[in-house]
Amino acid sequence: MSAYLLTSTVMMLMSLIALGYTFRQLQVARRHLRILNSHRIAAHSAIQKSRMDLLEVRNRAKLLEDTVSGGASAVEKVHKAISNTTFGLIDLFSRDEEFRESARKARQTHDNTSENVYKTVRTTNRALHILADTLIIGKAEKKIASRKPGGNGSSE
């Protein structure tokens, strides 16, 4: 009976040691998994930060374009109001028909020129936005896209 007891004890001891070893390996695997997960989250955060930075640059560029366009429209409206008032008063109070006709021609020329100037401002503004988008934002997008996973994640 003592051989049976000794064998059972040795088997129980070996099972306990194997269980302890398995538990320790499980702890190590969990620790490595937590480390791996934290690296994955950090890499994902860096990618998200790059995307958010790029989005911010795009939004600022669009805001600038809209501000210039809106400003040009506001100035154009004020300019038209002043022009309409001035030419309207000339037309209303002038007694000389020849002078009125000359003022009407000047008004037509003035209005066409003003319209072209404001249209040019808006077109130039849009062209500058497209150029900036192509040169600056496109370059930033390529830079982000060309980054290799597992890089140092530092910005240049």
Side-chain angles (χ1 to χ4, degrees):
M1 181 87 160
S2 96
Y4 177 72
L5 186 59
L6 182 63
T7 305
S8 294
T9 306
V10 169
M11 291 293 270
M12 293 268 290
L13 185 60
M14 286 177 62
S15 296
L16 188 61
I17 290 171
L19 186 62
Y21 180 75
T22 303
F23 182 71
R24 177 68 183 136
Q25 288 300 314
L26 180 63
Q27 284 179 327
V28 169
R30 283 185 177 171
R31 181 174 174 262
H32 285 136
L33 187 60
R34 281 193 303 269
I35 291 169
L36 183 65
N37 196 32
S38 70
H39 287 298
R40 183 190 60 82
I41 289 170
H44 183 70
S45 295
I47 291 169
Q48 284 301 100
K49 183 184 180 321
S50 295
R51 288 179 181 159
M52 293 305 290
D53 289 346
L54 184 61
L55 187 61
E56 183 179 353
V57 168
R58 283 185 174 279
N59 287 340
R60 286 182 185 206
K62 184 64 178 158
L63 179 63
L64 181 61
E65 178 188 5
D66 292 347
T67 301
V68 171
S69 181
S73 294
V75 169
E76 182 180 23
K77 287 177 183 176
V78 170
H79 188 176
K80 277 186 179 181
I82 293 169
S83 169
N84 288 341
T85 302
T86 304
F87 285 115
L89 289 173
I90 290 172
D91 198 40
L92 185 64
F93 291 115
S94 177
R95 294 179 190 215
D96 184 4
E97 189 57 39
E98 195 175 312
F99 182 73
R100 267 194 222 164
E101 191 57 38
S102 177
R104 287 183 190 130
K105 288 179 184 176
R107 181 180 192 169
Q108 186 66 35
T109 302
H110 173 270
D111 289 348
N112 287 340
T113 302
S114 297
E115 187 178 313
N116 287 335
V117 166
Y118 291 109
K119 184 177 178 182
T120 302
V121 167
R122 284 189 203 87
T123 302
T124 303
N125 180 43
R126 182 67 186 138
L128 286 174
H129 177 75
I130 291 169
L131 181 66
D133 188 48
T134 303
L135 294 178
I136 298 168
I137 297 171
K139 184 178 178 182
E141 284 177 336
K142 286 179 186 175
K143 188 176 180 182
I144 289 170
S146 69
R147 285 189 184 153
K148 294 180 182 171
N152 61 8
S154 65
S155 56
E156 296 175 10

